[in-house]
Amino acid sequence: MVVDQLTKRYGKKTTVDSVSFTVKQGEIFGILGPNGAGKTTTLEMIETLRPIDGGEAMLDGHDVATQPDRVRQVIGVQTQSSPFYDKVKLRELLELLGTIYGKKVDSAKLLESVQLTEKADSYVEKLSGGQAQRFSIAAALVNDPIVLFLDEPTTGLDPQARRNLWDLIREIRDRGITVILTTHYMEEAELLCDRVAIMEAGQIIALDSPTKLISDLLAQGFKKETTVQQADLEDVFINLTGKGLRD
Amino acid sequence: MAHSFRTMLALAKTQLKRNLRDPITSIVLFGIPVLLLLVFGALLGNTNNIKLRVAVINESNHAFAQQFTEALDNISVISQPDDALSFEEARDKMKNGELDGIVELPHEFGNEIAGEPRGALKVYYDTADTQTGDIVASVMRSIVDESNQQITGAQQPITIQRESIGVNQVSAFDNVFAMFTGMAVLMVGVFGVASSIPADKKSGILRRLHVTPLKSSQLLGGTMIAFGAIALIAVAVMTLLAVLVFNLNMHGGWLTYGVFMIFATIMMLGFGLAIASLAKNSTQADIIGQVVFLASLAVSGVWFPRALMPELLQNITFAMPLTPVIDGIREIVGEGATLTALGPELLVVAAWSVVLYGFGAKLFRWS
């Protein structure tokens, strides 16, 4: 995927300002930044949800602005809130999405891949936060996409659910699907992403692998005062409550 | 094309399941029209008789006045209160809507002059309901004319004979059935479709669907099919109740009725689409829907008979969407009208459908 000088304006305000980056096939690419940095807007332009005001985005050889239908066929999207029809069972929703994409869906297998087999006949509104996020990822995989977009996938999840979602995202990457995610959790970007673009006020201010970014900072003479600990509070919590999912 | 149709049907199936599984939706879209039909149907029965609630205040001591009062007891269209009332009590009841009129026989009523009883009775009615007052006065006039003929023994030189024209007679229940069936379909449009699309927009569901290959025509088509099915189920339930409970006699063909209701439903759902596309949010959609609903009831003769409107207004209100639906149902059920005979009504329905769907489709936005 190639993004070149991508721009989004609302009146006089430029929310995304000439952003450029390339995403390699099969990598987990993160867009990191605080709220209001322009992460979601950037993603939504590439997902064909918002018109592009400047620049271009090419995905799998298709121009996002002029060939949105082709792009929608090959991407999977998990939006921030990921809403679905209420009073419709999970397997029914997956089957509906399959019909939309013109694909036969094995809903049982998909639900199994996200550990939701026993919830096949449940409604989305009855799921916990972690279950809902896992389902939204399953729904985004219905069409075997080549690129999966995840918008702040672990926001609001407890530590166990977050870690399990990270494992799921790695598994998806290992299947050969390119993953592009936005996050404002530094730890998530560091542990999950092969490369990270750091956004601030609509612009990319750094782009590289987390390791390289950290080593570049250290090379500038940065020194962090730390007490080396073998564990942190999150480890305490997980140790006390168990690594398993709290569904 | 086949894929597009399959997608539309799959979406329709999902929407239908979703709405039928929601008890509140079922109550609003099915329960209310059915309840109204049952209540009004029970009140009216399936007879053509009208009953006027009239209090007779006899202030005369003359024998003729007493005989006259007793004779009024035997008039089937007049229903008198069980208890004797004073004039003031009767007037208060009329103000409360418990009486349609008051007939007062003054002190001198029935006083014999030249061997014949004489007198002028007074008919009082509520000025807020002159229509009913006219009916009461008309009935009393007939009774007085008959009494005069019996007293004088003279034959009326000029008389009137009444005869209805038409194969069948539209009963009061037929009118009620037509009204509430039309209303039920309108409700599915302005409260079902009009609320559903903005609500899905607000929750982000439409946005989520917009990142798939789903086209707006497939989304809207599937939604219309689902709500169309709901509307026709409501019509079927109401029709079945009307036939089984109130002995509704369908003089027209069932196929004619079914086809007409499909066209009517398509138009009414178009209202919902237009409102949903115009409104910026669910609140606006609800408000616009209520305005459209109430205005439709007002101009289509549900609250106020169109026959009593000025001619210009009658012509204008004929072109209002609910009017041809109610007229069409009434004519099919009561008079056995065919689709050909309902040409003017179907033309209005078709014209509104084109306008509403065109408007709605043009204004529709995913978010």
Side-chain angles (χ1 to χ4, degrees):
Chain A
M1 188 177 83
V2 178
V3 173
D4 184 29
Q5 303 288 308
L6 202 66
T7 304
K8 184 70 195 163
R9 292 180 208 95
Y10 290 105
K12 289 183 183 167
K13 185 175 172 177
T14 302
T15 326
V16 176
D17 190 0
S18 302
V19 155
S20 299
F21 59 90
T22 305
V23 179
K24 297 172 197 165
Q25 191 174 348
E27 72 171 334
I28 298 178
F29 185 87
I31 303 177
L32 174 69
N35 290 334
K39 310 185 297 294
T40 299
T41 307
T42 301
L43 224 61
E44 286 181 349
M45 279 193 281
I46 303 166
E47 291 163 356
T48 75
L49 281 177
R50 288 183 197 255
I52 295 172
D53 292 334
E56 67 171 13
M58 300 290 293
L59 194 151
D60 194 36
H62 304 303
D63 187 326
V64 167
T66 59
Q67 297 171 294
D69 288 341
R70 293 278 175 91
V71 170
R72 287 175 191 140
Q73 201 69 40
V74 298
I75 63 172
V77 176
Q78 175 256 324
T79 56
Q80 254 185 49
S81 56
S82 270
F84 293 95
Y85 287 129
D86 58 334
K87 302 274 186 303
V88 180
K89 297 173 187 175
L90 299 194
R91 57 175 176 78
E92 290 171 339
L93 284 167
L94 294 178
E95 285 158 11
L96 171 65
L97 286 168
T99 305
I100 291 172
Y101 284 106
K103 289 185 184 290
K104 192 105 175 74
V105 163
D106 185 341
S107 59
K109 193 174 168 193
L110 255 178
L111 290 172
E112 191 191 355
S113 71
V114 295
Q115 298 171 57
L116 285 175
T117 305
E118 73 282 3
K119 295 289 182 184
D121 286 333
S122 295
Y123 299 149
V124 173
E125 63 269 24
K126 300 290 186 196
L127 301 180
S128 68
Q131 290 171 334
Q133 289 294 60
R134 297 206 306 275
F135 176 72
S136 70
I137 290 178
L141 295 172
V142 159
N143 59 324
D144 292 323
I146 58 173
V147 180
L148 179 66
F149 292 92
L150 305 174
D151 196 357
E152 302 199 11
T154 63
T155 299
L157 299 186
D158 60 43
Q160 286 105 326
R162 180 175 299 147
R163 290 190 178 193
N164 275 283
L165 209 65
W166 290 346
D167 290 340
L168 177 60
I169 293 170
R170 289 190 195 99
E171 273 172 47
I172 291 167
R173 187 269 313 271
D174 292 342
R175 285 188 234 167
I177 298 173
T178 305
V179 177
I180 301 174
L181 64 88
T182 66
T183 182
H184 55 258
Y185 295 124
M186 308 298 162
E187 185 197 10
E188 182 165 274
E190 188 176 340
L191 288 175
L192 212 53
C193 300
D194 298 310
R195 286 191 305 142
V196 167
I198 300 177
M199 274 191 86
E200 166 81 269
Q203 291 182 325
I204 292 181
I205 54 177
L207 195 163
D208 216 319
S209 67
T211 316
K212 183 74 169 50
L213 288 169
I214 293 168
S215 63
D216 282 350
L217 180 65
L218 291 171
Q220 288 172 27
F222 178 84
K223 213 171 174 87
K224 186 174 175 180
E225 206 159 304
T226 54
T227 310
V228 177
Q229 286 189 335
Q230 298 300 315
D232 58 21
L233 195 58
E234 190 168 317
D235 293 321
V236 170
F237 181 80
I238 288 174
N239 188 52
L240 286 172
T241 59
K243 267 190 188 173
L245 278 171
R246 288 295 193 82
D247 290 338
Chain B
M1 184 70 119
H3 166 67
S4 192
F5 192 62
R6 253 198 317 273
T7 303
M8 219 184 299
L9 281 185
L11 197 65
K13 192 171 146 192
T14 304
Q15 289 269 33
L16 191 59
K17 281 185 190 173
R18 177 195 185 201
N19 282 289
L20 291 179
R21 286 172 182 165
D22 181 5
I24 304 292
T25 304
S26 299
I27 288 168
V28 171
L29 298 183
F30 291 107
I32 293 176
V34 166
L35 187 66
L36 286 171
L37 184 68
L38 287 173
V39 167
F40 279 86
L43 287 173
L44 284 172
N46 59 354
T47 70
N48 287 320
N49 293 339
I50 56 166
K51 276 279 186 218
L52 295 169
R53 299 160 303 167
V54 176
V56 180
I57 315 289
N58 182 9
E59 293 177 358
S60 167
N61 290 324
H62 297 289
F64 177 77
Q66 186 59 35
Q67 288 164 16
F68 190 85
T69 307
E70 285 167 6
L72 285 178
D73 268 339
N74 297 324
I75 305 292
S76 61
V77 297
I78 290 180
S79 164
Q80 296 188 45
D82 292 331
D83 302 322
L85 300 171
S86 66
F87 184 83
E88 287 72 28
E89 285 169 340
R91 187 187 55 199
D92 289 339
K93 279 190 181 291
M94 193 163 68
K95 276 186 191 165
N96 293 337
E98 295 171 58
L99 287 175
D100 296 316
I102 304 170
V103 171
E104 187 192 33
L105 309 181
H107 291 294
E108 64 280 10
F109 187 84
N111 184 28
E112 287 201 11
I113 297 173
E116 287 179 351
R118 300 287 167 103
L121 55 84
K122 290 182 186 174
V123 175
Y124 296 90
Y125 60 90
D126 192 339
T127 48
D129 188 5
T130 52
Q131 193 181 337
T132 306
D134 287 343
I135 296 172
V136 172
S138 177
V139 168
M140 289 311 300
R141 202 169 296 119
S142 298
I143 295 169
V144 164
D145 285 346
E146 183 133 347
S147 291
N148 283 335
Q149 200 178 336
Q150 284 177 10
I151 291 167
T152 62
Q155 278 288 351
Q156 301 276 359
I158 297 170
T159 57
I160 297 173
Q161 279 184 328
R162 211 176 69 157
E163 198 174 305
S164 66
I165 296 174
V167 177
N168 299 302
Q169 197 171 13
V170 176
S171 71
F173 181 78
D174 291 345
N175 279 322
V176 162
F177 174 73
M179 263 164 32
F180 288 124
T181 305
M183 202 173 87
V185 178
L186 179 62
M187 280 175 75
V188 174
V190 300
F191 298 132
V193 175
S195 297
S196 170
I197 295 176
D200 287 347
K201 212 182 277 192
K202 184 183 175 181
S203 69
I205 292 173
L206 294 197
R207 196 152 230 266
R208 175 60 186 87
L209 290 173
H210 194 37
V211 296
T212 70
L214 185 71
K215 299 203 183 318
S216 57
S217 56
Q218 293 164 344
L219 171 74
L220 298 178
T223 306
M224 293 301 127
I225 292 172
F227 280 98
I230 290 172
L232 292 174
I233 292 172
V235 167
V237 167
M238 290 175 77
T239 308
L240 196 64
L241 273 173
V243 168
L244 294 177
V245 177
F246 299 109
N247 299 316
L248 178 82
N249 195 0
M250 174 65 74
H251 291 101
W254 284 104
L255 186 62
T256 303
Y257 176 64
V259 169
F260 183 80
M261 288 317 301
I262 288 172
F263 284 129
T265 300
I266 289 171
M267 176 187 67
M268 294 304 191
L269 297 185
F271 256 118
L273 173 62
I275 294 170
S277 297
L278 181 68
K280 290 195 171 20
N281 51 53
S282 296
T283 306
Q284 281 191 10
D286 287 342
I287 292 170
I288 299 172
Q290 301 224 18
V291 169
V292 167
F293 182 69
L294 293 173
S296 296
L297 296 184
V299 302
S300 299
V302 171
W303 289 342
F304 186 70
R306 285 181 58 244
L308 296 179
M309 295 178 188
E311 191 180 334
L312 176 64
L313 206 52
Q314 282 189 43
N315 293 334
I316 292 171
T317 56
F318 175 74
M320 292 296 110
L322 187 56
T323 309
V325 174
I326 293 177
D327 287 351
I329 295 171
R330 187 188 300 125
E331 286 170 37
I332 294 172
V333 170
E335 296 175 23
T338 61
L339 287 177
T340 317
L342 294 174
E345 284 83 1
L346 286 170
L347 195 62
V348 174
V349 167
W352 272 107
S353 297
V354 167
V355 167
L356 291 168
Y357 280 91
F359 181 77
K362 188 136 176 70
L363 285 187
F364 173 75
R365 298 287 180 270
W366 287 88
S367 57

